[in-house]
Amino acid sequence: MRKLWTLVFFITIFAAGAFAQIPTKGNVFFGYSYNRAEIVSNDGTNLNGWNASLEGKFLPWIGLVTDIIGYYGGRDFVVPVGHNPHADLSEYNILLGPRVSAEVGRFRPFAEILVGAGHIIRSNGISDSDTSFANAFGGGLDYRVAGPVALRGQLDWIHTRFYGNSQNDVRFSTGVVVHF
């Protein structure tokens, strides 16, 4: 048994040393984002905003990403009182998760699974807010333009649960990525 623990110890030490030799790399992204959002089920609205992410790689093809999104727009809501108030909408999501990617020449395709929280604010006519669990999966493609600078196109499915309803949204983001 002692030999087994000695072997496990040395394998762990050598594996940690090998892992330390992998260069830490990652990227920073910022750009425009469009979300076809369902505020209440089957009643979508178009929201425009921004998307920012930071990825740190712990293996050459696997990284951990933090994704922050802000969307803005407006919507007319049907209420039983008799008038249809207009509300300004703001939605924010903070998501974390793994991203798998591979470099193929100037291209870097990736896929990701993210979990986190979403927050929505309705104001100007209807005034309330809600926070819910959020999850997303999707992927995209980076095209290296010059040096560490690339352009990104990304498509994700985002699931939230605002106001007791389940929302299944599709977001598209595009912008500039700097790899380091």
Side-chain angles (χ1 to χ4, degrees), residues 114-159:
L114 308 171
V115 295
H119 183 74
I120 192 165
I121 302 165
R122 298 190 293 188
S123 60
N124 186 26
I126 296 177
S127 193
D128 62 8
S129 66
D130 194 20
T131 301
S132 83
F133 176 78
N135 58 309
F137 73 89
L141 181 69
D142 292 351
Y143 175 74
R144 188 170 18 116
V145 178
V149 179
L151 299 176
R152 174 174 291 174
Q154 180 175 344
L155 189 64
D156 292 296
W157 169 83
I158 298 180
H159 181 78

Side-chain angles (χ1 to χ4, degrees), residues 36-61:
R36 178 66 180 164
E38 292 181 353
I39 306 307
V40 293
S41 295
N42 299 321
D43 186 20
T45 190
N46 299 317
L47 300 177
N48 296 287
W50 52 269
N51 184 4
S53 70
L54 173 66
E55 178 184 8
K57 293 201 171 234
F58 57 90
L59 290 174
W61 50 277

Side-chain angles (χ1 to χ4, degrees), residues 44-125:
T45 190
N46 299 317
L47 300 177
N48 296 287
W50 52 269
N51 184 4
S53 70
L54 173 66
E55 178 184 8
K57 293 201 171 234
F58 57 90
L59 290 174
W61 50 277
I62 299 176
L64 183 64
V65 64
T66 301
D67 193 76
I68 303 171
I69 312 154
Y71 293 112
Y72 312 94
R75 181 84 179 128
D76 291 327
F77 290 90
V78 177
V79 294
V81 178
H83 73 286
N84 297 336
H86 176 81
D88 293 330
L89 300 172
S90 299
E91 180 181 343
Y92 302 96
N93 295 309
I94 299 175
L95 305 166
L96 294 149
R99 178 181 287 164
V100 177
S101 63
E103 300 249 355
V104 182
R106 297 178 82 79
F107 296 95
R108 180 183 164 262
F110 63 89
E112 60 192 8
I113 298 173
L114 308 171
V115 295
H119 183 74
I120 192 165
I121 302 165
R122 298 190 293 188
S123 60
N124 186 26

